[in-house]
Amino acid sequence: MAQRSPVGELLRDPVLLGFAGLALIVPVWFLAGPGGGAVSWGIQAALDVSIVVFARRLRAHGGTDRHQRRFWRAMAVAGLLCAVGDGTQTVVMVADPGAAVSIVQSLCVVCAMTVMAVVMLRHPLGDAGRQRMRLWLDAGAVLIGVAVFLWYFSIGAELDSPRLGDRLAAAAGAVVMLVIVLGVLKLILSGTAPFTRQAGIAGCVGVGGTAVGTSVAAVLTGAADARIEAVASLLPCILTVASLRVQGIQQRCPAGPAEARQRRFSVMPYVAVAATELLAIVALYVAGADARTWGVAVGVVLITAVVLTRQLIAFQDNDRLLTDLDRSMLELQRLHDALRHQATHDALTGLANRALLTERLAAIDTAAQLSVLVIDLDGFKQVNDVHGHHAGDALLVEVARRLEAAAGPDALVARLGGDEFALLLPGVDADAAHHRAASIGAAVTRPCHLPGTVAHVGASIGVATGTPADADALLRRADAEMYRRKRQVRLAVPT
């Protein structure tokens, strides 16, 4: 059955297509249509309910990892808090379209963001030592870049406002937002995230856009407009909810080995540096800097670009070398496994050989009960003499298959050499071992269909029971019992 493509699943998913349609309708509805504050808050409340539904499903299918289950449980709680706050605001706006944001809505959203910030910061890291330090430095670099953007578009813009409440609200929202971004970055960069990289980045952009979308829209348009603010706040929310759906699809359709491989380094810190310097150029342009300042700024941007490019090339070279090394270690591992198999298994039948039988005997608890069966085929020489060695080899392969089928899953079947086999039965007492020997004898004596003929052989089986401490003695006793039975078979055959 062909493996389903995760990208194809995303493009065909009706829920994601619905979110895409909603993202197209929202700007038209609010910028060119009737709009309305109550409608905006109602859509937001519906999206919050979707978060609860998706998070509960992800928790139910998150396996047994308690950290993943805790993350999605917290996500469901956060979505429920937002649904209560936004639902309350919807009712307020229906009663009074000109009403301000209620304290209930603000508290619920802050509590929801706090819940997610705490659970993400508590999520365990997979690395240690210098790797963990590198992780925090990478996350810190991106965090500083996000903080610069928040300052320019949100907090810094609000500082010009004489309203203390607006400044405090902007600062509080930005701080919580920074903590959430740090948590998401930590999880993405560490490789221990309960979500895929694509879903995590989409969710991070969505949450960040929700926090600063309104402020950015006001700065870019030069004025506060309720319709533009509604679009700027709803579109990131749609992306946030869609990221949960993306996670669910990718969880059902994991990427193949080539798609799943990730770099050993992250480009996110370098993207943050480039974006921050671009913002600095924009800020200088807005401020009307002189030529001397522009010269310094351009020089800083160029030298930073050169250094970052050199660093990324070095990282890519290292990544390529490490990938080649990993592949070499995997060819070595396969060679080791192949040599190990050749040293411990019979080349003709694929059964364990005497060396592996001895190894398994030594590994069994010396206090445990153990039974050993030694089996020699009766009439095998006649098959070789009459039909040739190729028929004898085919017979040995068929007998090996029958022995494995009749021995049971707890047994080790070995070929000791020629037409002699042995069975190791841990935890099997004498009565059970003799019963197993009777079943094996019946299986071996069935007619064996070979190319061009039908062969009939019997089996002389010796049984010995004891403990692994007497392993050598057990094998000798079973071997002696086998030869005793073989002599009985010869005496019973008329000359």
Side-chain angles (χ1 to χ4, degrees):
M1 183 177 179
Q3 186 179 18
R4 294 182 296 176
S5 168
V7 176
E9 289 290 320
L10 294 177
L11 296 178
R12 293 189 298 268
D13 182 65
V15 177
L16 288 179
L17 292 176
F19 284 134
L22 180 61
L24 294 176
I25 293 172
V26 162
V28 176
W29 178 266
F30 287 95
L31 298 180
V39 176
S40 173
W41 287 106
I43 295 175
Q44 180 64 71
L47 292 173
D48 297 334
V49 173
S50 300
I51 290 177
V52 177
V53 174
F54 290 147
R56 286 175 61 87
R57 289 180 181 175
L58 290 170
R59 179 179 180 270
H61 296 89
T64 58
D65 190 313
R66 63 185 181 92
H67 299 294
Q68 289 195 20
R69 294 174 65 85
R70 182 179 65 186
F71 178 87
W72 296 119
R73 181 170 60 247
M75 178 69 76
V77 171
L80 182 59
L81 287 171
C82 289
V84 171
D86 294 336
T88 302
Q89 187 63 28
T90 303
V91 175
V92 170
M93 295 298 292
V94 169
D96 181 8
V101 177
S102 67
I103 187 65
V104 174
Q105 194 276 341
S106 299
L107 287 176
C108 286
V109 172
V110 170
C111 289
M113 295 175 71
T114 302
V115 168
M116 290 310 303
V118 170
V119 77
M120 284 190 290
L121 292 178
R122 289 185 59 195
H123 201 83
L125 294 174
D127 295 329
R130 296 183 66 85
Q131 290 181 331
R132 179 171 294 187
M133 180 184 296
R134 184 185 64 191
L135 162 66
W136 283 109
L137 290 174
D138 286 350
V142 181
L143 184 65
I144 292 171
V146 174
V148 171
F149 274 81
L150 286 172
W151 174 265
Y152 186 80
F153 286 108
S154 182
I155 302 177
E158 293 291 345
L159 288 177
D160 296 331
S161 172
R163 295 175 298 178
L164 178 62
D166 291 341
R167 295 200 299 269
L168 294 178
V175 169
V176 178
M177 175 56 199
L178 284 176
V179 175
I180 290 181
V181 170
L182 176 62
V184 173
L185 290 173
K186 184 195 80 166
L187 296 181
I188 292 176
L189 295 174
S190 68
T192 62
F195 43 76
T196 64
R197 179 175 289 261
Q198 295 80 5
I201 293 176
C204 187
V205 173
V207 174
T210 302
V212 300
T214 302
S215 300
V216 172
V219 171
L220 294 179
T221 59
D225 188 306
R227 293 174 177 266
I228 295 178
E229 290 178 356
V231 175
S233 62
L234 282 177
L235 291 182
C237 294
I238 296 173
L239 179 59
T240 301
V241 182
S243 70
L244 299 183
R245 182 64 179 177
V246 170
Q247 171 63 26
I249 294 174
Q250 292 183 328
Q251 190 169 282
R252 295 198 311 266
C253 305
E259 297 175 277
R261 181 186 171 273
Q262 296 180 354
R263 298 186 186 95
R264 291 177 174 85
F265 64 95
S266 175
V267 299
M268 294 177 66
Y270 306 99
V271 173
V273 172
T276 304
E277 294 207 350
L278 179 61
L279 180 61
I281 295 296
V282 172
L284 287 174
Y285 176 78
V286 173
D290 58 19
R292 185 169 56 181
T293 304
W294 273 112
V296 175
V298 171
V300 170
V301 170
L302 290 178
I303 195 171
T304 303
V306 171
V307 172
L308 292 184
T309 301
R310 178 183 180 280
Q311 189 78 355
L312 287 174
I313 292 174
F315 281 152
Q316 289 175 347
D317 291 340
N318 290 339
D319 184 63
R320 191 179 301 110
L321 289 173
L322 290 173
T323 300
D324 292 342
L325 179 61
D326 287 343
R327 289 174 179 168
S328 299
M329 293 299 294
L330 180 63
E331 287 162 356
L332 287 177
Q333 183 61 44
R334 288 176 178 171
L335 178 60
H336 175 270
D337 293 341
L339 294 175
R340 163 76 177 171
H341 187 274
Q342 292 176 11
T344 57
H345 289 77
D346 176 58
L348 175 64
T349 63
L351 298 178
N353 59 16
R354 187 182 294 270
L356 183 56
L357 178 67
T358 303
E359 181 181 310
R360 292 288 179 85
L361 278 170
I364 299 176
D365 184 5
T366 55
Q369 193 172 40
L370 173 70
S371 291
V372 175
L373 277 63
V374 175
I375 305 160
D376 190 82
L377 301 183
D378 301 325
F380 176 73
K381 185 176 183 300
Q382 288 82 348
V383 174
N384 263 344
D385 293 343
V386 174
H387 301 289
H389 289 287
H390 66 282
D393 289 345
L395 176 61
L396 290 175
V397 171
E398 175 61 20
V399 169
R401 185 189 66 80
R402 295 183 184 183
L403 289 176
E404 287 188 307
D410 57 336
L412 174 68
V413 184
R415 183 188 178 199
L416 302 182
D419 60 343
E420 189 173 349
F421 300 85
L423 265 72
L424 182 63
L425 303 173
V428 176
D429 59 21
D431 292 338
H434 282 90
H435 180 74
R436 195 83 60 97
S439 300
I440 289 172
V444 171
T445 55
R446 294 200 310 267
C448 183
H449 295 273
L450 302 178
T453 187
V454 177
H456 297 268
V457 293
S460 296
I461 304 176
V463 180
T465 301
T467 63
D470 304 323
D472 292 338
L474 283 177
L475 283 171
R476 288 195 299 269
R477 284 164 46 197
D479 195 60
E481 176 68 12
M482 180 272 292
Y483 276 110
R484 186 181 69 81
R485 292 182 178 274
K486 201 170 189 66
R487 284 194 299 270
Q488 290 178 346
V489 171
R490 290 172 179 170
L491 292 175
V493 176
T495 58

